Amino acid sequence: MLYYYSNRKKEVHFFMSFLGKYITEQRMAKNLSMRKLADLAHISHTEIYRLENGERKNPSPMILKSISNALGINFDEIMQVAGYTNNFLPTAVTQISLPGIEDLDEKELEEVRSFIDFLRSKKKFNK
């Protein structure tokens, strides 16, 4: 699944400060090192470190999905902790099912998101 999302940066920053603590607590409850969690989530241990220490401000829903799967926690819960699905945060999250998308890295997913934006703007222009 590709999650296309948009957020207001100040509001996201507020929720991201809780995300690192949440991931750390969940990881430690499972008795996992940062490296082991990174291996299980198929992401770099540096990414885990940055998330847990608040250095990574806007992790993509794909990264959060990988972490939730690795930790065996509910994806909706981690999305709420990150501020993507909180009632107080105006957020648009739409699931788009595309075959083979799970093989794309974060940069390629961003290109897909940009192309979706392009198609939407083209559609508005042609109306």
Side-chain angles (χ1 to χ4, degrees):
M1 294 267 172
L2 167 69
Y3 292 86
Y4 182 81
Y5 59 95
S6 63
N7 287 303
R8 294 181 184 163
K9 291 188 182 220
K10 288 180 182 178
E11 292 168 329
V12 170
H13 178 72
F14 172 77
F15 287 101
M16 289 300 134
S17 64
F18 294 106
L19 180 62
K21 183 176 181 184
Y22 175 80
I23 292 171
T24 301
E25 289 172 356
Q26 296 295 320
R27 177 179 59 79
M28 293 178 79
K30 304 268 193 245
N31 203 24
L32 297 173
S33 68
M34 284 186 194
R35 284 187 185 269
K36 184 63 178 175
L37 174 56
D39 287 343
L40 293 171
H42 306 290
I43 59 177
S44 74
H45 68 278
T46 306
E47 181 75 2
I48 299 295
Y49 174 84
R50 288 179 180 156
L51 283 166
E52 288 189 4
N53 289 291
E55 294 174 21
R56 178 76 155 84
K57 301 298 179 198
N58 296 317
S60 73
M62 292 293 289
I63 294 291
L64 296 175
K65 179 70 171 170
S66 296
I67 292 171
S68 71
N69 287 342
L71 289 171
I73 57 177
N74 185 289
F75 176 62
D76 292 334
E77 185 175 324
I78 198 168
M79 288 291 285
Q80 185 173 4
V81 171
Y84 286 109
T85 58
N86 189 301
N87 291 337
F88 300 108
L89 181 63
T91 302
V93 178
T94 306
Q95 292 184 7
I96 303 169
S97 181
L98 297 173
I101 201 161
E102 60 277 351
D103 296 339
L104 300 179
D105 63 26
E106 189 58 36
K107 186 176 180 182
E108 292 166 328
L109 289 171
E110 187 56 41
E111 289 179 35
V112 171
R113 289 183 198 104
S114 294
F115 186 68
I116 291 169
D117 285 340
F118 166 75
L119 291 174
R120 285 184 175 143
S121 66
K122 183 179 167 184
K123 191 176 194 178
K124 287 179 185 177
F125 181 76
N126 289 330
K127 283 186 176 184

